[in-house]
Amino acid sequence: MPPPDSLSPESALRLRSGHEIPLLGLGTWMLTTHTTEAVQHALELGYRLVDTSADYMTQPGIGRAVRRRPGARESLFVTMKVEENEDGHAATIKNLEELKLAYADLVLIHRAPEKGVGEKVWRGLMRARDEGLTRDIGVCSYKIPQIMELAEATGEMPAVHQIEWSPFGHSLDMLNFCDANGIVLQAYSPLTRGKRLADERLAAIARKYGKTQAQVIIRWNLQHGVACIPKAYREDHQRENIDVFDFTLDAIDMAALDGMNEHFSALEKLEYL
Ligand SMILES: NC(=O)c1ccc[n+]([C@@H]2O[C@H](COP(=O)([O-])OP(=O)(O)OC[C@H]3O[C@@H](n4cnc5c(N)ncnc54)[C@H](OP(=O)(O)O)[C@@H]3O)[C@@H](O)[C@H]2O)c1
């Protein structure tokens, strides 16, 4: 992880496979209007990672936007997901067909199953990875014991753990666990779906740096070495969210943001706790 003041839009984290995952990406849940154009705009601004899932209904539009950048596939990173009750290998093929892409960079199990830890779907993803359908595989919203059980059963740790993560709802224990096990943590719903952006303590920090609350949250993630995928349809939001490389949060403000944790979830609950 480069020191905070040298972070740039090109900053990436190295995965166990040796491939790199960009620190900042574009989420696409609910980005169903003009998906291709919106993703194209983000790519033009310098985003290099796009996060999707079949149930977001954004795969065809994302695939079009990626394919319209000739020669750029290698420099872009596409994350997709399979459901916990699907055949991991078959679902990866189905999603790639919808994206009309030859490979994904990362395929995630969308959530932990109600029973077990998803060993079968994980083995399907391992096979997809071994066949070159995806470069890396990971999970979403798993508890630490579930990750341990999955790794013990299959001999393979996830490369990435994607979880709901914001100053208002996070777990430094999970971050430490992921760091210790070579797992990249990636934050979903980092902007709390807008629900906590008006927090006055956050606004005060934003004013101090002449930035917005969203930019402070994104920067807090990046300085923690947490990858981050804010969703933005609006062009001004897309521009704002990538304009986070001209300031550095000092240690006091990082600690203040850490201290805002109340295990808040913009969805229902932090599934990984
Ligand atoms: N693995 C999982 O189970 C899981 C679960 C949830 C989400 N995700 C992924 O994580 C991504 C991000 O999470 P999310 O979509 O739930 O929520 P989010 O990124 O926290 O918030 C998105 C909302 O914030 C708005 N916004 C974006 N930039 C802003 C800015 N600078 N100022 C003010 N508002 C701003 C967006 O508006 P506009 O769109 O109108 O610009 C949108 O309404 C998803 O899109 C998805 O790719 C994964």
Side-chain angles (χ1 to χ4, degrees), residues 48-207:
R48 295 190 298 120
L49 182 152
V50 185
D51 179 85
T52 186
S53 173
D55 61 352
Y56 297 176
M57 316 295 275
T58 56
Q59 290 189 149
I62 291 168
R64 255 192 308 278
V66 170
R67 291 195 310 278
R68 279 184 192 170
R69 289 180 74 80
R73 178 65 188 95
E74 285 292 314
S75 64
L76 301 179
F77 193 106
V78 177
T79 301
M80 62 189 206
K81 307 184 189 87
V82 300
E83 302 306 302
E84 68 279 15
N85 53 3
E86 282 184 307
D87 175 321
H89 182 261
T92 299
I93 292 174
K94 180 170 60 79
N95 290 339
L96 284 174
E97 282 171 359
E98 208 170 285
L99 282 154
K100 292 198 172 71
L101 294 179
Y103 70 94
D105 294 276
L106 176 66
V107 182
L108 303 170
I109 303 181
H110 207 154
R111 61 188 72 73
E114 276 181 23
K115 282 193 184 141
V117 292
E119 184 183 330
K120 201 160 165 247
V121 61
W122 188 240
R123 287 193 190 281
L125 293 193
M126 289 167 68
R127 181 178 159 209
R129 190 267 324 277
D130 292 346
E131 291 176 3
L133 300 173
T134 181
R135 292 186 159 166
D136 283 284
I137 56 178
V139 297
C140 305
S141 308
Y142 271 54
K143 296 176 176 37
I144 289 174
Q146 292 175 317
I147 295 179
M148 295 302 291
E149 191 179 331
L150 185 66
E152 273 159 27
T154 61
E156 175 136 354
M157 275 281 178
V160 173
H161 191 200
Q162 187 184 100
I163 58 179
E164 186 177 355
W165 186 271
S166 75
F168 307 101
H170 62 275
S171 155
L172 295 179
D173 284 348
M174 178 61 84
L175 181 57
N176 291 335
F177 168 81
C178 287
D179 281 349
N181 288 282
I183 300 169
V184 167
L185 194 59
Q186 191 181 49
Y188 77 64
S189 307
L191 305 180
T192 67
R193 294 188 169 167
K195 291 176 186 170
R196 299 299 298 269
L197 289 183
D199 183 280
E200 188 42 47
R201 297 161 301 168
L202 175 62
I205 295 176
R207 277 195 298 275

